[in-house]
């Protein structure tokens, strides 16, 4: 009888989609799941869902609207990936929670979602059975070109060992990870034990009297306790970079002043770390711990990386954010101003709050606001730089939450680029960005060793220069002035081609600025020129020529003079400030005689106004 009714439904509903309206191959359909997930109702037609590994979870979603990627034929569809309404590309009610599909998490107890700033990769922590006990492993999923998550996988290799691991932050591009865990501590403790055993044996042989042996042994035991405590109390934070065949072995961050007194009430030997957040620059950490300046049980602190790469002693962010209870799981948005964190001291139970940094200070914050009662019980939070959805976890499941405009961070500019050599082969290198106004390095990113791809997240109201440099190559730079620009979600795509450091190779000095129709160098030019001077200093046999070019506005004579004067200004800066020999830096002015773009449009004229650094001898 049920089969008869189902056939009638097909007839009333318009039947199966015909081969005229459905092509074979992968397609995306929007519709409502019916018949315990075996059918997809699309407008007035019904598409049969073929058996697949998704069948069980689709049955649980019967009656829901989904967007599904299918391997389709004339009458049916084999589902590959899907998302449930409201769709990520659509507008949803404030703080709507939508569950990330089970095929992504494999139905494992999952928490701590961390998305890359471009939203293309999602990392999380999964609870995994390991014999008679459980441990925590890092999992991940990539989004495909259609916006669907791939089935989740455990991250293979160095980042998952027998002890709990978690991703704290994925820097722009997803080529650098900050990791929570324990890497190398057991080896260090074992090495320390062996060292102390040998010293004890030496003391036994060398001591003349029992009293002398006792004093030496006491000294060794005290040193052993101090060094053991130092190893066990170091910051549980590590950094790993992407390699051609996986991830590098996690290196501990240099944070000698870190300590944490908070312990489990039922196990005083087990330290409780409340989590941490990393700025998009990778150079500021907000972390949760119990230290001498605490307001409550777990407080938020901030530490900033110093000039030599180490993180300085942490500062308590203050009583505006911290309560007498626990402030945990901070997340700093890509704008480096908007902070989301969990607190058990402001509402009944745990809830998420938002606060915004005031000015340049890391200890002045706006009064925290609760995001939504709908998020109570949620204790992890992550927002990509693009889109209006956050990633959260609750009770072992991952969700996406629609963020209302008032609670969203400020818009940022995404720079997506690739570093290659002159033959187009990808280069693995560091891409650094700096403030041209303040002449200060802000942050950096690492390019993927297999693709050369990298990403930067740039907040507005700054004039940025960014450059790639690699040993044996000329550095290549570009600039992006975001001062006074309207703050909107934007993306800039760049290609950085690095020439070899040898005779005949040249680069345009991009981050070079002159006053209008003048040869006077602006202060913003100095970081770029300093890097070129460093190349000349490191390679004493190098001889170069600085070539000036202009657009075609004005007379030929004036343009030739201006181009030569500008090349002389650059050469003089290099020679006078860095004591480069006169004979190693020549100058030429070509005026408008060698254009590289159309002088009929302003964009072309801007490209023609350039100064070139060219190698004559290597």
């Amino acid at each position: 009888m049920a089969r008869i009714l189902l056939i009638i439904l097909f007839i009333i509903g318009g039947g199966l989609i015909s081969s005229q309206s459905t092509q074979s191959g992968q397609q995306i359909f929007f519709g409502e799941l019916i018949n315990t997930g075996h059918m997809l109702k699309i407008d007035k037609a019904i598409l049969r869902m073929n058996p697949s590994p998704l069948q069980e979870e689709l049955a649980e979603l019967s009656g829901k609207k989904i967007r599904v990627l299918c391997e389709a034929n004339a009458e049916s569809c084999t589902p590959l990936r899907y998302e449930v309404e409201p769709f990520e590309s659509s507008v949803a009610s404030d703080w709507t929670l939508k569950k990330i599909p089970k095929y992504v998490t494999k139905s494992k107890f999952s928490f701590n979602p961390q998305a890359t700033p471009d939203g293309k990769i999602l990392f999380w922590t999964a609870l995994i059975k390991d014999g008679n006990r459980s441990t925590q492993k890092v999992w991940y999923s990539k989004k495909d070109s259609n916006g669907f998550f791939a089935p989740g996988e455990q991250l293979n290799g160095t980042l998952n060992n027998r002890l709990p691991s978690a991703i704290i932050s994925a820097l722009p591009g997803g080529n650098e990870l900050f990791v929570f865990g324990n890497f190398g501590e057991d080896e260090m403790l074992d090495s320390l034990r062996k060292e102390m055993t040998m010293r004890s044996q030496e003391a036994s042989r060398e001591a003349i009297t029992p009293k002398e042996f006792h004093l030496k042994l006491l000294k060794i035991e005290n040193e052993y306790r101090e060094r053991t405590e130092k190893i066990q109390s170091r910051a549980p934070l590590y950094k790993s970079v992407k390699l051609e065949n996986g991830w590098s072995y996690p290196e501990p961050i240099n944070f000698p002043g870190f300590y944490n007194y908070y312990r489990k009430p039922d196990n005083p030997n087990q330290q409780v770390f409340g989590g941490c957040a990393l700025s998009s620059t990778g150079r500021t950490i907000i972390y949760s711990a119990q230290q001498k300046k605490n307001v409550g049980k777990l407080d938020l602190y901030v530490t900033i990386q110093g000039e030599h790469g180490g993180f300085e002693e942490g500062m308590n962010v203050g009583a505006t954010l911290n309560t007498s209870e626990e402030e945990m799981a901070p997340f700093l948005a890509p704008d480096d101003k908007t902070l989301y964190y969990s607190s058990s001291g402001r509402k009944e139970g745990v809830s998420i709050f938002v606060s915004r940094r005031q000015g340049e200070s890391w200890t002045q914050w706006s009064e925290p606001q609760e995001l939504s009662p709908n998020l109570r019980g949620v204790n992890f939070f992550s927002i990509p730089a693009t889109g209006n959805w956050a990633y959260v976890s609750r009770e072992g499941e991952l969700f996406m939450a629609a963020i209302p405009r008032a609670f969203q961070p400020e818009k940022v500019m995404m720079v997506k680029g690739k570093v290659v050599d002159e033959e187009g082969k990808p280069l693995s290198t560091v891409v650094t960005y700096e403030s041209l106004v303040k002449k200060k390095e802000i942050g950096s990113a690492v390019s993927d060793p297999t693709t050369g791809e990298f990403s930067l997240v740039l907040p507005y109201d700054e004039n940025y220069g960014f450059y790639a440099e690699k040993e044996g190559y000329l550095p290549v730079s570009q600039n992006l002035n975001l001062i006074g620009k309207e703050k909107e979600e934007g993306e800039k795509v760049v290609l950085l081609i690095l020439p070899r450091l040898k005779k005949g190779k040249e680069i345009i000095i991009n981050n070079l600025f002159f006053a209008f129709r003048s040869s006077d160098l602006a202060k913003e030019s100095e970081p770029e020129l300093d890097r070129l001077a460093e190349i000349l200093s490191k390679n004493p046999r190098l001889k170069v020529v600085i070539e000036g070019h202009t657009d075609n506005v004005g007379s030929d004579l004036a343009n030739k003079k201006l181009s030569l004067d500008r090349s002389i200004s650059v050469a003089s800066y290099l020679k006078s400030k860095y004591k480069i020999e006169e004979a190693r830096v020549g100058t030429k002015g070509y005026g408008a005689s060698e254009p590289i773009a159309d002088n009929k449009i302003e964009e072309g004229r801007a490209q023609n106004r350039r100064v070139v650094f060219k190698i004559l001898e290597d």
Side-chain angles (χ1 to χ4, degrees), residues 126-299:
L127 198 64
I128 304 296
K129 288 289 186 182
D130 184 10
N132 295 325
R133 64 186 188 95
S134 296
T135 189
Q136 297 171 11
K137 301 289 187 182
V138 175
W139 279 53
Y140 76 101
S141 173
K142 292 183 179 180
K143 275 189 177 177
D144 62 22
S145 58
N146 296 309
F148 293 102
F149 279 113
E153 298 179 57
Q154 184 170 300
L155 205 60
N156 292 326
T158 57
L159 299 186
N160 282 318
N161 55 22
R162 65 182 184 82
L163 297 169
S165 303
I167 300 299
I168 294 297
S169 180
L171 291 187
N175 300 325
E176 298 172 272
L177 298 177
F178 270 67
V179 187
F180 168 87
N182 186 320
F183 300 94
E185 182 179 299
D186 288 351
E187 291 81 356
M188 293 173 69
L189 290 172
D190 186 54
S191 177
L192 179 61
R193 279 191 293 270
K194 290 178 180 177
E195 177 191 340
M196 292 303 167
T197 299
M198 289 180 61
R199 287 175 58 182
S200 298
Q201 292 170 349
E202 288 174 3
S204 175
R205 290 193 300 267
E206 295 172 359
I208 298 174
T209 65
K211 183 178 180 180
E212 182 183 348
F213 172 67
H214 175 72
L215 291 173
K216 284 187 175 183
L217 190 60
L218 187 62
K219 185 178 179 181
I220 292 171
E221 287 173 349
N222 288 335
E223 182 183 343
Y224 178 59
R225 277 194 296 270
E226 290 174 4
R227 290 173 63 180
T228 298
E229 185 177 345
K230 188 174 182 180
I231 292 172
Q232 293 175 333
S233 299
R234 66 180 182 169
L237 305 174
Y238 301 77
K239 187 176 181 180
S240 177
V241 297
K242 198 172 185 181
L243 305 175
E244 289 187 14
N245 58 348
W247 291 91
S248 67
Y249 189 80
E251 293 289 334
I253 66 165
N254 185 9
F255 189 4
F258 176 84
Y259 63 95
N260 179 22
Y261 292 140
Y262 202 45
R263 299 292 187 269
K264 273 192 171 184
D266 58 346
N267 185 359
N269 294 320
Q270 187 170 353
Q271 183 185 111
V272 178
F273 180 59
C276 70
L278 195 69
S279 66
S280 60
T281 65
R283 302 188 178 186
T284 301
I285 297 175
I286 295 179
Y287 64 96
S288 169
Q290 187 180 89
Q291 299 186 340
K292 293 176 182 177
K293 299 178 182 179
N294 260 48
V295 174
K297 296 175 181 177
L298 276 173
D299 277 11

Side-chain angles (χ1 to χ4, degrees), residues 30 67 83 86-91 389:
F30 295 80
R67 184 175 78 105
E83 67 164 322
F87 307 124
E88 192 173 349
S89 59
S90 64
V91 178
W389 292 82

